[in-house]
Amino acid sequence: MKSMILNTAESLRSPDGAAEPDPRTTMFAGQTSPSLAAHHRDIEAIQLATGVPEAVAIQFETARNLYLYAWHVYRFFPVAQSQALFSLEFGLRERLPERLPERYQRSWQQQPMLAGLLAYAIDQGLVRNEGFRRWHQTAEVRARQRRSMEIFQAMLDQQLESVEVDERQPLNITPDDQSWDLVTILRKSLPSLRNELAHGSSMLTNEVLGTIELVAEILSQIYGLDSGATVCDASRDQQST
């Protein structure tokens, strides 16, 4: 059998080169000069709430470290993404009842899978749109765009050539600006991504920080409730708001 010769970037690192950046790290960096310090700051900024149990936090920290060391081994990026999703599944399983209603867990399943766990947490109000940074950012962007269009329309109506706008004025964010239902997207996309990675994939990308952030926000939400609250309590709270 003909021996396989791998590119050095795909092979086991030598002791002398183990601390060097993967050549793809700098190759795909774009115009910004990359640095390990900046790479570290990106992942350091993603933190869990203090209420997340140690066992779950350790699994998540493993994902953060994999992301950090992807600076040296580029193929650690999807591994970091996988580990983050594994920590999400573990965290949900630790937080939720051992047995879920059949809608979320088939009778033959020994334990619920990520899709059922996440769907149950969302339906019980443990995971909400308001707990995600990008949801708030999207609402703000929509509000700014709407304000710009309103100003433009006022200029047309009043036949003005220019108008002075004070950008320091607080935004009026309306329910329509907040209409993006992020959790409905996540309840399908995250389990799908988890399965693709877990069952083997040739996908290679460094764009995994967003997934890690989403996982941190979900874990922080489900463990950020009052420690005395039950899942049923959370459901009643959601229905009363």
Side-chain angles (χ1 to χ4, degrees):
M1 181 180 293
K2 188 176 181 180
S3 61
M4 182 183 301
I5 301 176
L6 293 175
N7 186 288
T8 54
E10 306 289 7
S11 304
L12 179 68
R13 303 298 192 266
S14 67
D16 293 338
E20 295 297 318
D22 189 295
R24 290 162 289 195
T25 300
T26 54
M27 185 186 306
F28 301 141
Q31 296 181 348
T32 304
S33 179
S35 71
L36 180 56
H39 182 71
H40 180 273
R41 283 195 298 271
D42 288 341
I43 192 62
E44 185 183 31
I46 300 176
Q47 301 279 342
L48 292 176
T50 56
V52 177
E54 181 181 7
V56 178
I58 287 173
Q59 295 300 315
F60 182 76
E61 286 301 290
T62 301
R64 292 214 303 168
N65 275 309
L66 281 165
Y67 182 90
L68 176 63
Y69 280 88
W71 175 266
H72 305 289
V73 182
Y74 201 80
R75 287 196 179 274
F76 281 3
F77 280 116
V79 181
Q81 190 175 38
S82 295
Q83 178 62 31
L85 292 168
F86 296 158
S87 70
L88 173 61
E89 185 169 352
F90 177 53
L92 285 165
R93 188 171 289 121
E94 289 292 295
R95 174 68 175 86
L96 301 179
E98 293 183 7
R99 190 79 199 176
L100 300 182
E102 190 169 352
R103 176 184 175 187
Y104 307 97
Q105 180 181 359
R106 302 294 186 183
S107 58
W108 49 266
Q109 289 180 321
Q110 294 295 318
Q111 58 184 11
M113 300 293 101
L114 178 57
L117 290 163
L118 183 57
Y120 183 80
I122 290 171
D123 290 344
Q124 292 296 315
L126 295 173
V127 180
R128 307 183 186 188
N129 287 318
E130 292 82 357
F132 296 95
R133 179 184 62 86
R134 69 191 63 192
W135 182 83
H136 289 283
Q137 284 185 329
T138 299
E140 289 180 8
V141 168
R142 289 180 172 182
R144 291 187 187 280
Q145 291 174 339
R146 177 174 47 78
R147 184 170 68 178
S148 296
M149 291 303 299
E150 290 171 352
I151 293 172
F152 180 68
Q153 187 61 51
M155 290 176 62
L156 292 177
D157 294 343
Q158 301 174 37
Q159 298 182 344
L160 300 175
E161 293 185 359
S162 64
V163 63
E164 186 174 337
V165 179
D166 186 357
E167 293 293 341
R168 296 170 299 179
Q169 288 292 326
L171 283 172
N172 176 29
I173 299 178
T174 67
D176 193 49
D177 298 326
Q178 299 173 322
S179 61
W180 182 36
D181 193 4
L182 177 58
V183 295
T184 296
I185 297 172
L186 296 180
R187 71 189 293 157
K188 292 184 178 180
S189 63
L190 290 182
S192 177
L193 177 59
R194 181 261 185 214
N195 290 339
E196 180 181 359
L197 293 169
H199 296 156
S201 172
S202 60
M203 179 173 60
L204 180 60
T205 176
N206 64 353
E207 299 295 325
V208 303
L209 201 62
T211 301
I212 298 174
E213 180 185 53
L214 287 170
V215 169
E217 290 171 329
I218 293 173
L219 291 174
S220 295
Q221 285 191 61
I222 65 174
Y223 287 104
L225 296 173
D226 183 348
S227 59
T230 65
V231 173
C232 292
D233 291 335
S235 179
R236 284 196 294 269
D237 290 344
Q238 184 189 38
Q239 292 172 1
S240 64
T241 56

